[in-house]
Amino acid sequence: MSRAHVDFLLNEEKISIKDLDTNITVLNYLRNNHELTGTKEGCASGDCGACTAVVGELKENKISYKSINTCITFLYSLHGKQLITVEHIQKNKLHPVQQSMIDSDGSQCGFCTPGIIMSMYNMYKNKIKPTEENIDKFLSGNLCRCTGYLPIKNAIKNMYSYKSNKFSKSKVIRLLKSIKKTDIVIKKNDSKFFIHYNLNSLIKDYQKISNGHLLVGGTDLALEVTKKRKDLKNIFYLGSNKDLNYVKNKNNNLHIGSATPINDILPILENIYPTFAKMFERYGSEQIRNTASLGGNIGSASPIGDSLPVLIALNSKIVIQGKVKKTLLLDNYFLSYRKTKLKHNEIIKEIIIPIYKKNILKCYKISKRIDDDISSVFMAINARIEKNIIKEIKIVCGGLAETPKIAKKAQKFLLNKIFNEENINEAKKIIKKEFDPIDDMRASKNYRTKISQNLLERFLYENNKIKSTLY
Amino acid sequence: MDKIFTKNIEHESAVKHVTGKAIYTDDISEPKNLLHAVIGYSNCSKGVIKKIDYKDVLSSEGVVDIITEKDIEGINDVGPIFKGDKIFTSKNIEYYGQPIFAVIAKTNNLAKKAALKVKIDLKISKPIVSIEEALKKKSFVLKPKHLTRGNIKYGFKKSNNILKGKLYSGGQDHFYLEGQIAMTIPQEDNNFLVYSSTQHPSETQQIIGKVLKQNYNSIHVIVRRIGGGFGGKETQSFLFAAITSIAAKKLSKPVKLRVDRDDDMIMTGKRHDFLFDYEVGFNNSGEILALKIMMASRCGISPDLSGAINDRAIYHIDNAYFLPNIEINSYRCKTNTVSNTAFRGFGGPQGMFCIENIIENIAQKLNREASEIRKINFYKDKIKNTTHYGMRITDNVIEDIFNKLIKKSNYKKRRAEINNFNKKNKVLKKGIAITPVKFGISFTTTHLNQGGALVHIYTDGSIHLNHGGIEMGQGLMTKLALVASNEFGLYYENIKISSTDTEKVPNTSASAASATTDINGAAIVNAINNIKSGLNEFIYDYFKTNSKIKYENNFVYFDKRKISFKELINTAYLNRIPLSSSGFYKTDKINVNTKTLQGRPFLYFTYGAAVTEVIIDKLTGENKILQVDIIHDVGNSINKRIDKGQIEGGYIQGLGWLTTEEVSWKSNGVLATHSPSTYKIPTAGETPFKFNVEIYDHGFNKEKVINRSKAVGEPPFMLAISSFIALKDAVYNANKGKNSENLIAPATAENILKSLH
């Protein structure tokens, strides 16, 4: 029997909810139901970070913290978690991140400040070293239009030098433990919100419903609510499903549960494919990486989803679970623009990434802005080069067609060729004819084509140890 | 007026900012029965409405009413100086995002849902979208303006070299983090209390008065703080406050309108993009002898502030350079796009962008170090010190700042290192540039240069400070509280900063043109002097003294006595001495002929210079800012912490304008970049860690401005031009000395790649 209410901690208060709209976002809940107006709406699309809050989850008796965009987080997905808002972190005296921000003059108009404070709080709680790289990474999801960021960066550099008041977490841990993690169905009018903790029960319920929406990070789905103002009738939250949240290294393959947040994948991925892991540093923002999943990226099948070309280049497979389970090469999954072989009663269960030990993996992302931007062109190259002969090569591009696509002709030409300028120049001519990209606000057709050619050149230069990348 | 403020305190709201306790309009406790408005707007840029069907809108859940043009009792226009900004259209669609109606519903979400259900039958026609099209069709919002000085023919004749070319600088969305918002609450006698996120409460009041056909005294506007403005809430906020007021009056209920980010970006004006066509004549040492410029800007559908913005572009085409023979033809193009508006710098950045590019092109043509060409052309002290609009420059410090910065930033050494780096690297190429800023302070519309204040002392000696300026993050309230604290000799903590309120200080100007502290600060001093002269009279009389009176450290000193300020005030009160006064200030000396543009539009100039070093990737056009060094003149600063924040923030906002921020219009006039997912303002990653900002240590305002400080809001924005010129230099270096004239702004990776040969 499923439960019909969701329990979570709002700061340190246990809250039980069941009568609210199933589409309500955490941001609107905080502002409208609790008058906790410190959390701001800047964009309602997860791009500006003014709504940032921190979520605490119990992991092996400890609370692990991560920042989220509350504007695209559905309230009911908080079950079993602690939500920490900007109003809460000051106890007796200002929290170190707050005092440091004041002393560094990190706020001007102040509207983005609560969100930035919470991103800093996230760093602080996770004891992130304030290196330049980390600061940029952890701030990537917070826009500030006034300060130019320098004083905020200084505030982060200095924040660990302030003493913080130590508070016992035992109450929070006790409260979190008291929340049962069993399946939940919230019913409000004709809408439902499902939370499942295992795959079988999820599949069972999901099969029964024809218009279910799968939810993990909500970067796409929440915008249907906040921007298109749709009513989503049946939402299935996968973020708490233990059968979909894991990373395992098994028989030279990486098995990743489809709902595993990107940031949970990175520690393992860093050792296997450092360039792939590095690519993820420019994938959305910290808040997005804390919740978004590979399954979501594959499920929404965007032609500019950054992980897709890399996964295809690595000959990754996906496991699809419906009435039966089937395994599919990711490259065979895409049909046309945002259309795939996934049927309405199926879900992506797992992504299997083969581990190539002798190969070079390149992940080239070109976008207008470096952080938190969508690619205009993405190119992934998986190659094995022996004695300067290209023994194996897969070139996959995003942003050049309606789906992520293999540059079949170019890679065929390069196979077994000497890896030199002459052959790369020839491959450049071939790839130019291979795609017919579109013009849009991110990049023109000509630019996209030129980039696809020049990235092949970059590949050569990098192999020849010629400095050719800034990022 | 010339006292030194030594206390460098933080922003008055800093604690509230970091704790989430600072209240913005959407955070105000909502009144009972509050209704929410959402605007329904056109989704094409030109056409005629044949039929509108509101049936589904009205039957949508939670809808109370819709309002349209018919509900407007007064004028259907929120244009500030010139008319042309309709609230609602009922027939002709003139731009994408033009408001047609507003839905009033129980929640914002229900209102938006309903608005999306409207069915509009349209006859679409072909719009004018680009500047080029508008020029060709002579489509203008205002008459072209022309300015000449010297003898252009003679200048060209004397020139050994002539360069011709085109330049383009792009638009820019303000992207204030707090979107547009207004809330109107009905009061008795058909009066209305309006909370609006605006830089201009007085004009909000006036416009609502005109729209509702009521006296201005029935409209009360309050603004405590706004979450960023940058010019985007100087006039663009009026539409929303007008709509909530129309609805509040019609329904006798409070109404709030919080604009969704995408709708905000679609419905509100942006920075003018500019097209320049230039011909420049110069001698072999790079000295400009003749300059002919055609400048045309995309103003959108209405004049709004475009006249003054384009005037300011003309006024800043010289930047810091003496241009002996010049002819400027300025066109204010009318396009079927949302009306472009004020944005930090107000045309100044565009004018400076033009001349800095021209100078760089001259340097490239002559194969000379660009910083030398800049110096050769600087205004001088005794000669060559009059601008093309006839104003004599008497406060010029650019050469000193420039030379100090070249030294401090190791410019010459770094230039050599860059050349070396570029020789060694095939794909990555570096560039560097130093550019100056000279920016004129004052509203060029002379009558706007006035300000008011109202100062109260309560009987416990605490001060309540009111003035006409708006706190939008620039630290205005902090600075003005410091001014008051200084004048009264009271600790800063005794000064209560209050909301800006049209019932306290009337007929104010917008918080704009960087002059808000200058103008309101002087008005505050005037008010305080009024009170103090009464107090002084009282002291002479009551304490039977004629000694000098000093207000310091919460005490008042005379003879050899000292009494606390509090005691003085209480005694004064008991003796019926007035403890409150209004204050007023108008900027002297300025006047200008609006036709010829000749005269003295500015009280003074601020100066600064920036060095930016960049690196580009020849294969992709990707680029990175490596280091920024700045020296900027703020006069004798009232608060260095706040001024430094303005300099750093201004630079990065300018960097965004010139690099990643691309306003993209489709050929049918639809805005393609209307959300932060497609319109990219800088993130932290764009700000280099090597970012050295120094306040000019000889800063002093020759004019009697408060504390001899200088305005700081807009000028630093233009320091970022050095980033664009550095990118241009990198492209030039990558092109192996062939020119990089083709680079347009914003210098996106794509535009950089395009300019590489």
Side-chain angles (χ1 to χ4, degrees):
Chain A
M1 232 345 248
S2 301
R3 296 197 311 156
H5 59 95
V6 152
D7 298 332
F8 70 101
L9 303 191
L10 176 54
N11 295 316
E12 292 188 13
E13 182 194 356
K14 188 168 165 182
I15 297 223
S16 195
I17 43 169
K18 59 178 181 181
D19 296 324
L20 299 167
D21 184 348
T22 57
N23 285 191
I24 191 173
T25 62
V26 173
L27 174 65
N28 286 335
Y29 173 75
L30 288 174
R31 296 185 59 85
N32 298 334
N33 298 48
H34 287 272
E35 291 200 21
L36 286 172
T37 54
T39 312
K40 310 291 182 198
E41 176 176 318
C43 68
S45 56
D47 291 301
C48 80
C51 68
T52 305
V54 166
V55 162
E57 282 179 87
L58 211 51
K59 280 185 183 161
E60 289 148 18
N61 267 335
K62 273 189 175 164
I63 307 175
S64 94
Y65 297 95
K66 63 186 186 187
S67 56
I68 59 159
N69 288 311
T70 59
C71 73
I72 54 168
T73 304
F74 289 94
L75 176 65
Y76 285 111
S77 70
L78 289 181
H79 181 75
K81 302 170 189 173
Q82 181 192 19
L83 179 73
I84 304 169
T85 69
V86 69
E87 290 88 354
H88 184 68
I89 66 171
Q90 168 193 18
K91 290 175 184 169
N92 299 344
K93 62 171 187 176
L94 293 172
H95 188 273
V97 301
Q98 293 172 316
Q99 192 58 54
S100 186
M101 191 75 151
I102 293 169
D103 293 345
S104 297
D105 299 315
S107 70
Q108 284 182 25
C109 87
F111 198 84
C112 72
T113 313
I116 292 184
I117 286 291
M118 294 315 284
S119 279
M120 291 167 67
Y121 183 75
N122 177 45
M123 282 186 88
Y124 193 93
K125 288 305 239 184
N126 286 291
K127 301 189 175 68
I128 304 296
K129 252 177 112 177
T131 62
E132 295 184 0
E133 205 173 279
N134 281 339
I135 291 172
D136 286 351
K137 196 167 99 182
F138 278 79
L139 280 181
S140 59
N142 290 89
L143 298 177
C144 167
R145 194 51 153 167
C146 296
T147 64
Y149 303 102
L150 189 67
I152 299 168
K153 291 182 177 198
N154 289 336
I156 295 173
K157 277 187 187 166
N158 299 333
M159 69 187 182
Y160 292 104
S161 64
Y162 293 83
K163 268 197 193 137
S164 71
N165 286 338
K166 292 266 179 253
F167 286 95
S168 163
K169 287 180 193 149
S170 57
K171 181 188 162 195
V172 169
I173 291 173
R174 197 185 70 240
L175 286 172
L176 283 175
K177 277 185 177 167
S178 74
I179 300 172
K180 282 198 186 115
K181 297 199 170 171
T182 53
D183 291 357
I184 293 168
V185 190
I186 301 288
K187 291 178 196 159
K188 170 76 181 171
N189 303 330
D190 55 345
S191 298
K192 288 179 184 160
F193 193 101
F194 296 87
I195 300 173
H196 296 95
Y197 284 87
N198 65 65
L199 186 63
N200 286 341
S201 59
L202 163 67
I203 293 294
K204 223 171 106 192
D205 283 341
Y206 193 56
Q207 294 276 339
K208 285 186 217 153
I209 280 162
S210 61
N211 60 349
H213 300 279
L214 301 173
L215 168 70
V216 188
T219 51
D220 260 15
L221 191 65
L223 271 56
E224 298 286 307
V225 173
T226 64
K227 294 294 165 179
K228 294 186 187 158
R229 311 284 176 150
K230 285 186 188 163
D231 286 314
L232 303 176
K233 295 290 176 206
N234 294 291
I235 300 174
F236 289 80
Y237 178 59
L238 313 181
S240 299
N241 197 317
K242 63 178 170 35
D243 292 338
L244 300 175
N245 281 272
Y246 56 84
V247 188
K248 289 175 205 157
N249 187 343
K250 210 163 62 178
N251 305 330
N252 255 341
N253 285 299
L254 208 53
H255 294 254
I256 301 172
S258 62
T260 315
I262 300 296
N263 269 346
D264 289 356
I265 303 171
L266 292 186
I268 295 181
L269 197 62
E270 263 160 17
N271 297 320
I272 298 166
Y273 290 122
T275 52
F276 194 6
K278 183 96 185 141
M279 176 286 269
F280 276 120
E281 285 182 11
R282 287 178 56 195
Y283 178 99
S285 61
E286 188 60 18
Q287 293 91 319
I288 300 292
R289 293 185 287 265
N290 277 332
T291 56
S293 64
L294 286 183
N297 217 195
I298 296 168
S300 63
S302 161
I304 40 184
D306 287 340
S307 67
L308 306 178
V310 192
L311 292 172
I312 295 170
L314 291 169
N315 297 309
S316 305
K317 290 174 186 157
I318 53 173
V319 178
I320 290 177
Q321 181 77 54
K323 272 182 189 142
V324 292
K325 188 165 121 177
K326 55 189 175 190
T327 304
L328 191 69
L329 201 60
L330 182 58
D331 186 41
N332 293 332
Y333 159 85
F334 302 96
L335 293 171
S336 61
Y337 180 70
R338 291 197 179 241
K339 290 229 159 57
T340 71
K341 286 185 182 165
L342 192 72
K343 298 202 181 93
H344 71 81
N345 53 2
E346 294 176 330
I347 68 151
I348 299 161
K349 192 218 165 241
E350 182 180 87
I351 296 94
I352 306 170
I353 308 174
I355 299 172
Y356 294 90
K357 291 196 169 136
K358 293 178 181 164
N359 289 22
I360 306 168
L361 177 69
K362 297 289 181 191
C363 305
Y364 298 145
K365 172 171 179 165
I366 306 299
S367 54
K368 208 176 268 180
R369 190 176 68 196
I370 298 311
D371 289 311
D372 198 6
D373 196 2
I374 290 165
S375 301
S376 44
V377 177
F378 193 100
M379 184 184 279
I381 303 172
N382 175 16
R384 181 160 55 86
I385 292 153
E386 279 173 17
K387 294 178 183 155
N388 214 34
I389 306 285
I390 302 171
K391 290 301 229 183
E392 205 181 311
I393 185 159
K394 198 139 198 187
I395 305 169
V396 191
C397 299
L400 293 179
E402 58 177 9
T403 62
K405 220 168 170 180
I406 302 176
K408 284 190 178 139
K409 289 175 187 162
Q411 73 183 29
K412 190 178 165 198
F413 169 80
L414 286 170
L415 191 65
N416 293 319
K417 295 269 171 23
I418 304 173
F419 192 19
N420 63 15
E421 201 170 328
E422 195 189 334
N423 285 324
I424 285 292
N425 282 339
E426 196 52 38
K428 279 174 75 177
K429 283 181 202 157
I430 296 168
I431 205 169
K432 185 180 179 181
K433 291 181 194 148
E434 211 164 337
F435 296 100
D436 186 22
I438 56 158
D439 264 316
D440 72 3
M441 64 290 192
R442 292 202 172 89
S444 70
K445 179 186 163 83
N446 285 342
Y447 181 70
R448 290 179 203 261
T449 304
K450 187 110 199 250
I451 290 297
S452 71
Q453 297 179 288
N454 287 3
L455 290 178
L456 292 177
E457 206 174 327
R458 176 189 282 183
F459 179 43
L460 174 74
Y461 289 144
E462 284 202 325
N463 196 58
N464 295 343
K465 306 266 182 296
I466 294 172
K467 269 195 233 159
S468 56
T469 45
L470 290 173
Y471 297 99
Chain B
M1 278 244 208
D2 297 348
K3 286 171 196 161
I4 309 296
F5 297 88
T6 50
K7 206 174 169 196
N8 277 316
I9 49 151
E10 72 248 14
H11 193 287
E12 44 88 11
S13 286
V15 174
K16 286 175 273 185
H17 291 155
V18 301
T19 52
K21 285 180 186 148
I23 305 284
Y24 302 80
T25 302
D26 199 31
D27 306 333
I28 295 168
S29 264
E30 293 184 347
K32 246 198 272 173
N33 305 322
L34 178 68
L35 296 174
H36 297 263
V38 161
I39 297 172
Y41 55 79
S42 68
N43 55 15
C44 78
S45 64
K46 195 170 182 209
V48 177
I49 298 172
K50 291 194 334 206
K51 212 181 120 195
I52 305 186
D53 180 355
Y54 290 119
K55 212 175 75 201
D56 293 346
V57 180
L58 286 164
S59 64
S60 190
E61 186 193 344
V63 169
V64 175
D65 203 353
I66 58 164
I67 57 168
T68 64
E69 189 181 15
K70 286 181 205 148
D71 298 303
I72 302 171
E73 288 175 50
I75 58 163
N76 179 16
D77 204 305
V78 289
I81 303 164
F82 306 97
K83 288 204 171 133
D85 296 291
K86 270 191 184 168
I87 300 170
F88 296 121
T89 183
S90 54
K91 197 166 173 221
N92 293 324
I93 303 285
E94 295 178 297
Y95 63 94
Y96 172 62
Q98 182 165 21
I100 300 168
F101 64 98
V103 185
I104 316 299
K106 286 183 177 152
T107 70
N108 176 285
N109 193 35
L110 291 173
K112 182 67 190 182
K113 276 183 179 170
L116 293 170
K117 290 178 185 164
V118 71
K119 289 192 191 105
I120 303 177
D121 195 4
L122 277 170
K123 195 181 158 221
I124 294 174
S125 50
K126 201 179 171 299
I128 296 174
V129 179
S130 71
I131 297 173
E132 289 91 338
E133 280 173 274
L135 280 173
K136 218 162 133 195
K137 295 193 173 142
K138 297 201 160 58
S139 167
F140 304 125
V141 290
L142 293 164
K143 278 187 196 154
K145 277 196 181 177
H146 311 285
L147 183 150
T148 57
R149 191 254 290 263
N151 184 333
I152 190 104
K153 272 190 193 156
Y154 171 76
F156 276 118
K157 217 162 149 190
K158 267 203 337 189
S159 302
N160 312 92
N161 308 281
I162 288 172
L163 262 181
K164 285 185 190 181
K166 277 189 194 313
L167 296 162
Y168 176 78
S169 68
Q172 185 178 28
D173 191 279
H174 301 84
F175 211 89
Y176 25 68
L177 262 286
E178 179 207 31
Q180 301 276 356
I181 183 165
M183 177 163 74
T184 301
I185 305 169
Q187 312 286 304
E188 61 182 37
D189 296 332
N190 239 353
N191 285 9
F192 294 93
L193 171 61
V194 182
Y195 293 97
S196 167
S197 182
T198 182
Q199 291 170 242
H200 203 343
S202 278
E203 201 160 16
T204 304
Q205 173 197 22
Q206 293 151 14
I207 281 176
I208 293 171
K210 284 187 258 186
V211 169
L212 300 184
K213 215 175 175 184
Q214 292 188 186
N215 286 340
Y216 297 168
N217 65 9
S218 64
I219 312 297
H220 179 191
V221 181
I222 300 179
V223 186
R224 169 59 182 96
R225 64 170 66 75
I226 69 177
F230 318 112
K233 294 170 182 170
E234 185 170 342
T235 61
Q236 300 301 291
S237 53
F238 301 154
L239 172 71
F240 310 105
I243 289 174
T244 53
S245 301
I246 296 163
K249 187 172 182 183
K250 185 181 179 192
L251 301 169
S252 300
K253 292 251 170 68
V255 177
K256 176 149 90 175
L257 171 44
R258 176 170 58 78
V259 189
D260 170 75
R261 175 62 62 181
D262 290 60
D263 293 350
D264 186 321
M265 293 179 81
I266 289 167
M267 282 192 285
T268 63
K270 300 157 205 327
R271 181 184 296 283
H272 294 62
D273 48 336
F274 268 70
L275 187 70
F276 301 95
D277 216 328
Y278 72 88
E279 185 176 356
V280 61
F282 49 98
N283 65 23
N284 287 337
S285 56
E287 195 181 349
I288 296 173
L289 304 176
L291 181 60
K292 191 176 170 189
I293 287 185
M294 187 291 298
M295 55 165 83
S297 70
R298 172 157 36 195
C299 300
I301 199 60
S302 74
D304 183 66
L305 302 171
S306 293
I309 289 164
N310 282 273
D311 288 354
R312 190 170 273 270
I314 294 173
Y315 286 137
H316 285 82
I317 201 81
D318 60 337
N319 194 8
Y321 311 113
F322 179 69
L323 305 169
N325 305 297
I326 187 166
E327 179 185 321
I328 302 172
N329 298 297
S330 159
Y331 300 94
R332 294 96 202 265
C333 297
K334 181 174 180 173
T335 51
N336 292 107
T337 53
V338 63
S339 191
N340 280 335
T341 194
F343 197 144
R344 204 174 194 171
F346 206 76
Q350 293 94 322
M352 283 188 204
F353 172 84
C354 175
I355 192 69
E356 290 304 332
N357 272 279
I358 289 171
I359 295 222
E360 196 68 16
N361 292 345
I362 292 172
Q364 290 183 4
K365 168 90 177 182
L366 296 174
N367 194 20
R368 290 269 310 277
E369 165 56 44
S371 60
E372 295 298 324
I373 307 295
R374 290 193 160 82
K375 271 162 83 167
I376 286 168
N377 285 290
F378 277 157
Y379 282 110
K380 305 288 182 294
D381 267 353
K382 300 216 168 71
I383 46 154
K384 296 184 177 177
N385 61 0
T386 306
T387 65
H388 54 299
Y389 45 90
M391 176 171 167
R392 234 187 97 206
I393 304 171
T394 56
D395 56 6
N396 191 353
V397 289
I398 193 60
E399 193 134 7
D400 189 35
I401 289 178
F402 206 76
N403 289 336
K404 281 194 167 117
L405 185 62
I406 283 184
K407 215 170 168 186
K408 187 193 161 223
S409 66
N410 270 323
Y411 179 86
K412 285 177 184 161
K413 191 171 158 237
R414 283 163 64 194
R415 167 69 80 191
E417 284 166 1
I418 284 167
N419 289 340
N420 205 17
F421 176 93
N422 289 340
K423 267 182 215 146
K424 285 184 191 152
N425 283 276
K426 191 172 172 174
V427 181
L428 304 182
K429 300 286 176 184
K430 287 185 181 180
I432 192 168
I434 175 167
T435 58
V437 168
K438 170 188 125 283
F439 191 76
I441 302 301
S442 291
F443 287 98
T444 56
T445 306
T446 304
H447 79 262
L448 298 176
N449 294 288
Q450 56 174 310
L454 178 64
V455 177
H456 304 319
I457 310 175
Y458 295 108
T459 50
D460 64 351
S462 67
I463 310 290
H464 199 266
L465 183 62
N466 308 278
H467 56 81
I470 294 294
E471 174 62 41
M472 48 187 148
Q474 84 280 46
L476 172 75
M477 297 294 189
T478 317
K479 283 186 174 181
L480 294 185
L482 280 170
V483 169
S485 128
N486 196 69
E487 292 299 318
F488 276 126
L490 284 175
Y491 294 148
Y492 170 79
E493 294 70 26
N494 296 311
I495 316 295
K496 171 73 192 170
I497 294 156
S498 65
S499 297
T500 308
D501 185 326
T502 52
E503 291 193 346
K504 299 265 182 71
V505 181
N507 315 326
T508 58
S509 294
S511 286
S514 304
T516 316
T517 302
D518 293 6
I519 291 172
N520 293 288
I524 287 168
V525 172
N526 176 242
I528 294 175
N529 283 342
N530 291 343
I531 300 173
K532 273 165 74 178
S533 70
L535 284 173
N536 291 350
E537 285 301 318
F538 167 68
I539 292 169
Y540 297 142
D541 195 40
Y542 184 86
F543 294 100
K544 309 253 177 310
T545 172
N546 52 12
S547 103
K548 240 181 121 184
I549 302 167
K550 223 169 58 180
Y551 294 78
E552 227 172 70
N553 298 323
N554 286 355
F555 284 92
V556 183
Y557 300 83
F558 51 89
D559 292 334
K560 280 173 186 164
R561 299 184 56 173
K562 125 178 182 187
I563 61 167
S564 75
F565 185 78
K566 195 174 164 177
E567 190 190 333
L568 170 69
I569 294 305
N570 197 36
T571 319
Y573 168 73
L574 294 172
N575 287 277
R576 297 183 292 173
I577 303 299
L579 296 172
S580 171
S581 172
S582 66
F584 183 79
Y585 171 78
K586 62 173 183 171
T587 311
D588 285 332
K589 297 185 184 176
I590 49 175
N591 68 80
V592 74
N593 179 325
T594 51
K595 284 216 175 79
T596 62
L597 299 175
Q598 296 291 320
R600 179 174 181 177
F602 308 117
L603 183 63
Y604 63 92
F605 295 100
T606 69
Y607 301 86
V611 172
T612 304
E613 183 179 343
V614 300
I615 187 164
I616 62 166
D617 176 341
K618 264 184 82 172
L619 290 176
T620 59
E622 289 169 294
N623 53 84
K624 193 174 189 170
I625 305 297
L626 297 173
Q627 185 173 336
V628 178
D629 297 271
I630 290 170
I631 298 181
H632 192 79
D633 169 29
V634 295
N636 184 36
S637 176
I638 293 174
N639 183 316
K640 284 186 177 168
R641 286 172 70 174
I642 277 166
D643 286 348
K644 209 160 167 244
Q646 289 299 299
I647 298 168
E648 292 161 358
Y651 179 94
I652 294 299
Q653 201 174 67
L655 177 72
W657 169 52
L658 293 168
T659 57
T660 56
E661 294 182 38
E662 194 168 36
V663 176
S664 174
W665 297 96
K666 295 181 187 169
S667 59
N668 64 359
V670 167
L671 181 67
T673 44
H674 52 75
S675 85
S677 68
T678 49
Y679 183 76
K680 309 311 277 188
I681 72 166
T683 53
E686 269 67 46
T687 300
F689 278 88
K690 288 183 188 170
F691 192 168
N692 308 308
V693 175
E694 186 182 306
I695 288 175
Y696 181 50
D697 56 6
H698 288 70
F700 181 77
N701 198 335
K702 281 197 168 174
E703 300 300 329
K704 286 185 178 161
V705 170
I706 197 110
N707 199 45
R708 300 286 182 159
S709 68
K710 285 189 176 184
V712 69
E714 291 163 294
F717 182 91
M718 285 148 275
L719 295 167
I721 293 171
S722 63
S723 69
F724 183 87
I725 301 295
L727 287 166
K728 195 173 164 119
D729 182 53
V731 171
Y732 176 71
N733 297 337
N735 285 341
K736 296 201 173 110
K738 277 187 220 158
N739 71 62
S740 57
E741 281 174 15
N742 295 335
L743 184 62
I744 61 166
T748 56
E750 172 161 357
N751 285 335
I752 287 174
L753 195 68
K754 241 188 252 171
S755 68
L756 286 159
H757 293 300

